[in-house]
Amino acid sequence: MTVRETDVVVIGAGPVGENVADRVVRGGLEAVLVESELVGGECSYWACMPSKALLRTGAALRAARAAGVEGGALDPAAVLRRRDGFTSGWDDSGQVRWVEGAGIGLVRGHGRLAGERRIVVSGADGDTTLIARRAVVVATGSAALLPDIAGLADARPWTSREATSLQEVPGRVAIIGGGVVAAEAATFLSDLGARVTLLARSGLLSAFEPVAGERVAQALRDRGVEVRLGAHPSRVDREGGAVRIELAGGEAVEVDEVVVATGRVPRTADLGLDTVGLEPGSWLAVDDTLRVAGTDWLYATGDVNHRALLTHQGKYQARAAGDVIVARARGEEVSDRPWQAHAATADHAAVPQVVFTDPEVASVGLTAAQAEDQGIPIRVVDYDLGSVAGASLTADGYAGAARAVVDEERGVLVGVTFVGPGVAELLHAATVAVVGEVPLERLWHAVPSYPTMSEVWLRLLEAYGL
């Protein structure tokens, strides 16, 4: 067995783990990444990048038609080829070159904790023991949750991985779930020509403002997707080439493939957590410096800590964790008060997210319901996004919505939601306003250019009464 010492070991070489290692090395320490699959992780090969590549063509085609362009058709084979370009054909050699160029070590294989600061990596060439002088960072992410539905596991269901890496478009697809992955998969699979049935136990996109799920559900229906809310699958069977889904109440749906999109579980079941007194298979609770509770050497960044299961938020955590590991190693001051360099404060109430359906959903901060649950005295301001000049220029018959959630006591925004084609690019201004706690009286002086969709900011403030 090879034994190797380094300052920091990062288990998981996705974008979060890469960012931790990069910050550590930039700070003058040594770092080694451990990866059992592809360097670049879930986001690069099975999530963010391929899913958005699959979604983009259909959205662009609809946008062109809404701006008066006639003709044109989506070519599924071309869409899949374009997707393959973004995944590099599931070849991580480019990512490996980046790791090497950044001065970061890489050990391929499955890493398990074997006590404090010790990791055993089982690889194709045997085992390697890594000893971390300073810290170990878990950045193993999450995997799709397989719900407890009779027969489902034996029916060879797709998860988001199979859906985003598909090579042939099935004729009929059922999607079990009503969250972001389900809504996006319903969008791109229907764009590619599949007949899609979406089975959601409750509302669609229920974690967002109600208008989001309502508008997306209607748009999917308008494009031929069968959206069935309140549907409860009770049994799934694959018989030959078909999948039969029985619903509570006796109805059944027959399709060629079934996609499961009902949530995520942490990838910690086979991580050796028991060797350091932690529960295998559990989410890892951390403080705002991303250090695991009860330790002074173990950190967890990204999905695995269950704070905000989004790549950009995980990379934000990675920057804080990498920098604080360096500061603690050097005996420097730790800036861990809210909104300082070593604290991932935004995780709590300022998380931005875009759902790349058509219409898009872009939100940051708290929904009205979440703010009320926290006892914040709020006022909700709604505005028809389609009525601003920039929206009408963007698309004929543009339909959209904007909602601002105002903390009346402090006079600042605590949440903003946009729904409509192309609203993703409006979101960062909202994020700056929420994170910066910009007083509405000052925000009034941030004059939006005309004629752009950003004019909605002026209209929201006018509707508020400024």
Side-chain angles (χ1 to χ4, degrees):
M1 178 183 291
T2 302
V3 179
R4 178 177 176 181
E5 284 196 25
T6 189
D7 290 317
V8 179
V9 176
V10 182
I11 308 175
V16 176
E18 288 176 332
N19 271 264
V20 174
D22 188 42
R23 301 295 283 205
V24 164
V25 168
R26 287 173 182 265
L29 301 182
E30 293 179 344
V32 171
L33 284 166
V34 177
E35 179 53 56
S36 61
E37 293 187 292
L38 296 177
V39 176
E42 197 82 10
C43 179
S44 298
Y45 304 103
W46 300 287
C48 317
M49 297 307 292
S51 66
K52 281 29 173 199
L54 290 168
L55 287 158
R56 177 57 188 159
T57 305
L61 185 58
R62 282 186 288 275
R65 289 170 177 166
V69 177
E70 297 182 2
L74 186 145
D75 178 354
V79 173
L80 297 183
R81 286 195 299 272
R82 186 170 188 266
R83 181 274 319 272
D84 291 350
F86 282 97
T87 64
S88 300
W90 290 273
D91 178 351
D92 67 356
S93 56
Q95 297 271 22
V96 171
R97 286 193 294 273
W98 177 86
V99 169
E100 294 171 345
I104 301 166
L106 174 64
V107 177
R108 288 190 180 271
H110 183 78
R112 297 178 184 84
L113 290 164
E116 185 172 324
R117 304 175 198 267
R118 182 180 291 266
I119 299 92
V120 175
V121 184
S122 300
D125 298 324
D127 290 353
T128 299
T129 295
L130 299 173
I131 299 173
R133 291 184 288 263
R134 302 295 185 179
V136 174
V137 183
V138 177
T140 49
S142 63
L145 166 69
L146 199 64
D148 186 17
I149 299 173
L152 178 61
D154 293 330
R156 303 190 303 279
W158 286 9
T159 67
S160 54
R161 281 197 169 197
E162 289 77 18
T164 58
S165 61
L166 82 169
Q167 298 301 313
E168 294 184 3
V169 181
R172 304 165 301 169
V173 181
I175 300 171
I176 300 175
V180 174
V181 173
E184 290 187 347
T187 302
F188 71 70
L189 286 168
S190 62
D191 283 348
L192 290 170
R195 296 202 307 274
V196 178
T197 301
L198 182 63
L199 305 170
R201 284 180 174 268
S202 55
L204 191 67
L205 300 177
S206 56
F208 297 82
E209 295 286 5
V211 67
E214 294 166 1
R215 296 288 181 100
V216 171
Q218 188 56 55
L220 288 172
R221 290 186 175 112
D222 291 344
R223 293 201 295 275
V225 175
E226 185 179 359
V227 179
R228 303 183 64 168
L229 306 181
H232 296 259
S234 59
R235 183 171 183 83
V236 179
D237 291 290
R238 184 180 288 273
E239 301 171 354
V243 179
R244 177 182 170 85
I245 304 168
E246 296 180 10
L247 305 178
E251 292 184 81
V253 176
E254 189 170 289
V255 293
D256 301 303
E257 299 292 348
V258 57
V259 179
V260 177
T262 55
R264 309 289 293 179
V265 293
R267 297 183 67 181
T268 60
D270 191 20
L271 193 60
L273 293 181
D274 54 310
T275 69
V276 293
L278 297 171
E279 183 68 27
S282 63
W283 301 102
L284 296 177
V286 297
D287 62 20
D288 275 1
T289 68
L290 293 311
R291 190 161 58 179
V292 174
T295 76
D296 63 358
W297 59 275
L298 184 62
Y299 295 74
T301 53
D303 283 12
V304 76
N305 62 38
H306 208 234
R307 286 164 68 101
L309 279 66
L310 296 160
T311 297
H312 50 269
Q313 216 65 24
K315 291 164 72 173
Y316 162 70
Q317 295 171 10
R319 296 189 291 272
D323 290 352
V324 80
I325 289 169
V326 171
R328 285 170 172 153
R330 291 177 168 179
E332 297 172 350
E333 180 181 357
V334 172
S335 301
D336 59 356
R337 293 190 300 278
W339 304 114
Q340 292 195 328
H342 300 144
T345 311
D347 286 347
H348 301 299
V351 175
Q353 182 171 9
V354 176
V355 187
F356 289 89
T357 45
D358 192 357
E360 291 177 345
V361 178
S363 71
V364 63
L366 304 175
T367 64
Q370 290 167 341
E372 287 176 343
D373 287 345
Q374 293 185 20
I376 299 172
I378 63 167
R379 179 178 166 191
V380 174
V381 182
D382 290 316
Y383 195 80
D384 177 7
L385 182 55
S387 68
V388 303
S392 62
L393 289 169
T394 297
D396 297 339
Y398 188 104
R403 167 168 285 193
V405 182
V406 180
D407 180 336
E408 288 285 77
E409 194 171 87
R410 295 185 298 143
V412 300
L413 294 168
V414 293
V416 180
T417 296
F418 301 112
V419 182
V423 295
E425 301 306 327
L426 289 174
L427 185 58
H428 195 60
T431 303
V432 171
V434 171
V435 170
E437 299 179 334
V438 181
L440 296 189
E441 291 184 352
R442 175 58 66 86
L443 197 58
W444 174 255
H445 296 281
V447 181
S449 54
Y450 182 88
T452 68
M453 286 175 59
S454 292
E455 189 185 7
V456 70
W457 284 101
L458 171 60
R459 302 309 174 204
L460 283 168
L461 293 171
E462 286 178 334
Y464 180 74
L466 293 178

